[in-house]
Amino acid sequence: MPATCELTVDLDALNRNVALAADLAEGRTVLVAVKADAYGHGLVRVARSIQQAGSAQWLGVATVGEAVALRTAGIALPILKFSITLHEELAPALAADVTFTVADAHGIDELAQAAAEAEKVAEAHLNLDTGMRRIGAQPEDAVALARQIVAHPWLRLGGIYTHLPVSDTPDGRNFTREQFDTLAAAACAVEQVAGPVPFIHAANSGAVLSHDLANTTMVRPGIMVYGSCPDPATPTDRAPEPVVRWTARLSFIKRVRSGETVGYGRTWTAPRDTWIGTVSVGYGDGYSRLLSNRGRMLVDGRSVPVVGRVCMDQTMVDLGTETPSVSVGDEVVLVGRSGDEEITVQEMAGLMGTIAYEVTCLITPRVPRRYVGGMV
Ligand SMILES: *Cc1c(COP(=O)(O)O)cnc(C)c1O
């Protein structure tokens, strides 16, 4: 069935961005974050494409459900679950061969018990809080927790890691460098009592793009793989390339007289006689209502403003005073290129007052994902 609104994901571009991360990581192991349906791009298709291309060695998820979906689809790459796993989730997570994140003695205990019951060795990465204040043990507790892990026959210490809240902006340079140093010191102390730890990691996209990765052996990029920098101010000369093109169609074209209003709430009044186009996308597709009277779209290489409020399924644009060269059924670009014009995910995020991550996460399941490139 032909779609009137669709998201095209270029898997070749995505894998080139993974390769960029690998290049910047200079031989370190690459884990790609595929949580939240691969930031809205499609969990299984993205993971399969990465696995087939061999562009990364690990995947990162947030939930057990995501890990189960990957295993069910035949994904064999190791999967790190970034979040704490609750007691009742341990058995299904073990069955999905998840690598666990642990951050306190109680959690390690529970995991050990679940692993013993399942008669399955559980691999754990110890998460340290070096400044994010989200999850993580205090760095000074790292040695004791590592001892607890290696002492248990059903547990293995696969890694030590931390997370970086300000790696993506110039202001965050020193704070981030101190976090890397704290992690390195804790990892060194752990290795003295527990032996070599394979994966020591901190770098999200911001750090991959703009920081010295010394003393780490793995990186965890997400947003850069999907084609955006984490922040417009991320200092880098190796920007990732766009991965998505989001399109809809013109469903109606009409003439509106000067002084008439367009849409719910009558928030836009035509300043002159003009042509209004109605586009087959709305907030029900994830085209945010925050773009009302603020967004723009591309029609036949021309930029046209969103006028009036974005509706659930339809949005109006001002095509201008000239008789439109476009007709009903023509493509409208919400994100991507048309002629010499381009709308980036980052631009849309700026207009919505949010970050690139949220723009693609918000695109709802109603919008079919179409995949180009990649090996099939
Ligand atoms: C989401 C996430 C990442 C990826 O972050 P980006 O900013 O998208 O590169 C890395 N590590 C952890 C723990 C995460 O939760």
Side-chain angles (χ1 to χ4, degrees):
M1 202 174 44
T4 54
C5 178
E6 70 180 7
L7 185 73
T8 304
V9 179
D10 183 342
L11 294 171
D12 288 335
L14 185 141
N15 276 304
R16 283 193 296 273
N17 288 334
V18 182
L20 169 63
D23 191 37
L24 291 166
E26 298 177 323
R28 292 172 179 81
T29 300
V30 178
L31 173 154
V32 173
V34 294
K35 60 198 183 189
D37 202 27
Y39 295 34
H41 296 68
L43 173 66
V44 166
R45 291 301 298 266
V46 166
R48 190 177 289 148
S49 157
I50 288 170
Q51 176 166 285
Q52 284 182 350
S55 53
Q57 296 75 49
W58 280 69
L59 300 171
V61 302
T63 70
V64 178
E66 291 167 345
V68 170
L70 288 171
R71 293 301 182 225
T72 305
I75 301 298
L77 292 176
I79 299 171
L80 175 63
K81 180 170 172 287
F82 294 142
S83 55
I84 300 295
T85 305
L86 299 180
H87 183 76
E88 68 268 26
E89 301 177 299
L90 289 169
L94 275 164
D97 269 322
V98 158
T99 296
F100 292 84
T101 290
V102 292
D104 61 15
H106 177 70
I108 294 168
D109 239 19
E110 282 194 338
L111 178 60
Q113 276 175 36
E117 268 163 42
E119 298 190 11
K120 195 162 181 178
V121 172
E123 180 167 318
H125 286 207
L126 177 60
N127 186 282
L128 302 181
D129 180 7
T130 61
M132 178 74 175
R133 307 293 177 247
R134 185 167 69 178
I135 58 168
Q138 292 311 300
E140 55 269 28
D141 297 333
V143 167
L145 294 171
R147 276 210 170 99
Q148 186 191 350
I149 294 168
V150 298
H152 203 285
W154 291 103
L155 296 184
R156 246 185 45 208
L157 180 59
I160 303 180
Y161 78 108
T162 195
H163 197 51
L164 311 169
V166 285
S167 63
D168 56 344
T169 56
D171 297 352
R173 278 213 89 67
N174 292 340
F175 189 86
T176 304
R177 186 169 304 129
E178 281 168 26
Q179 289 189 277
F180 268 94
D181 290 346
T182 307
L183 175 69
C188 181
V190 165
E191 289 189 318
Q192 270 160 29
V193 302
V197 178
F199 298 112
I200 297 167
H201 49 110
N204 47 12
S205 296
V208 170
L209 288 164
S210 66
H211 279 271
D212 179 2
L213 306 171
N215 301 314
T216 62
T217 59
M218 177 188 252
V219 295
R220 307 188 308 267
I223 194 70
M224 68 174 289
V225 166
Y226 305 104
S228 298
C229 283
D231 188 277
T234 306
T236 181
D237 44 17
R238 309 275 307 272
E241 63 178 288
V243 165
V244 295
R245 188 178 156 80
W246 188 10
T247 56
R249 311 277 290 276
L250 268 175
S251 67
F252 200 73
I253 297 173
K254 75 191 149 300
R255 198 148 165 71
V256 165
R257 299 274 165 215
S258 177
E260 290 181 343
T261 64
V262 169
Y264 285 123
R266 306 184 65 203
T267 60
W268 188 81
T269 305
R272 46 179 161 64
D273 292 359
T274 193
W275 290 91
I276 296 294
T278 301
V279 183
S280 58
V281 66
Y283 62 81
D285 302 290
Y287 193 83
S288 175
R289 194 164 170 280
L290 296 170
L291 295 165
S292 300
N293 289 312
R294 193 179 288 174
R296 66 183 187 113
M297 298 181 182
L298 307 179
V299 183
D300 194 23
R302 214 157 54 84
S303 176
V304 293
V306 169
V307 293
R309 288 197 180 138
V310 172
C311 311
M312 190 182 287
D313 317 301
Q314 306 178 70
T315 299
M316 282 68 87
V317 291
D318 182 7
L319 296 172
T321 53
E322 309 278 312
T323 309
S325 58
V326 289
S327 14
V328 165
D330 284 1
E331 177 187 81
V332 181
V333 175
L334 316 174
V335 168
R337 299 195 70 90
S338 176
D340 295 334
E341 287 277 348
E342 180 175 21
I343 298 173
T344 62
V345 172
Q346 180 59 60
E347 176 189 326
M348 188 176 276
L351 292 171
M352 291 161 60
T354 186
I355 51 176
Y357 303 69
E358 196 180 4
V359 170
T360 53
C361 278
L362 285 176
I363 302 174
T364 63
R366 185 165 82 179
V367 179
R369 273 63 171 168
R370 196 167 73 84
Y371 296 91
V372 298
M375 290 174 273
V376 194

